[in-house]
Amino acid sequence: LSKTALNWQDFIGTLREIRAKRLFVLADTCHSGGIVGDNSAEGDWLADRLNKEAHRLVFASSARDEVSIGKQEWRHGAFTKAILEALQGLADTDNNASVSFSELKEYVTSRVEELTQGRQHPQMPFLDNYEPDEVLAAVKS
């Protein structure tokens, strides 16, 4: 486990040191919805630090009580698959050669639910810290 997992204390320590103007965290791991607050001292600190402060956003692959589903053919989880598809332009619903936070959230949420037959539900609860149409990524047209 120590070779394939990230130590929680190391993760928290690193996040406490980051002084970025923008921080977007993608968490593709089982029960990652707990990162957006779980009523523990560390979980609530992290939720406050990442989600409620301006310019920080967490997008977790699953609810806190769900596993993250993957397939060997994808070589990663459904969440990562959906993120990659979105950033390749599939989330660009207004055809402006960019993907906004709201487009990313909408695409990834529906695509993950489709790929997992409704067994996994991505979590991005604090999008209100961002303008929904704020551009996250440019895409090739």
Side-chain angles (χ1 to χ4, degrees), residues 32-128:
S32 59
I35 203 169
V36 297
D38 63 2
N39 298 320
S40 70
E42 286 179 343
D44 287 346
W45 174 86
L46 187 58
D48 184 61
R49 175 85 172 144
L50 294 177
N51 298 318
K52 295 176 185 169
E53 290 183 19
H55 308 299
R56 288 172 171 75
L57 184 66
V58 173
F59 199 1
S61 67
S62 58
R64 80 177 77 208
D65 61 345
E66 295 176 338
V67 297
S68 290
I69 298 167
K71 288 189 177 179
Q72 188 68 24
E73 65 194 69
W74 302 335
R75 300 184 60 156
H76 40 66
F79 181 75
T80 297
K81 178 176 176 53
I83 292 282
L84 293 172
E85 290 174 358
L87 295 178
Q88 290 170 353
L90 292 176
D92 182 17
T93 57
D94 58 7
N95 298 310
N96 66 349
S98 66
V99 175
S100 68
F101 284 103
S102 59
E103 286 175 320
L104 179 76
K105 180 179 181 177
E106 184 177 319
Y107 180 84
V108 172
T109 299
S110 71
R111 183 68 170 135
V112 168
E113 290 178 11
E114 174 188 342
L115 290 168
T116 65
Q117 291 77 48
R119 294 179 291 161
Q120 184 176 329
H121 303 87
Q123 307 290 304
M124 187 193 289
F126 294 102
L127 188 56
D128 56 328

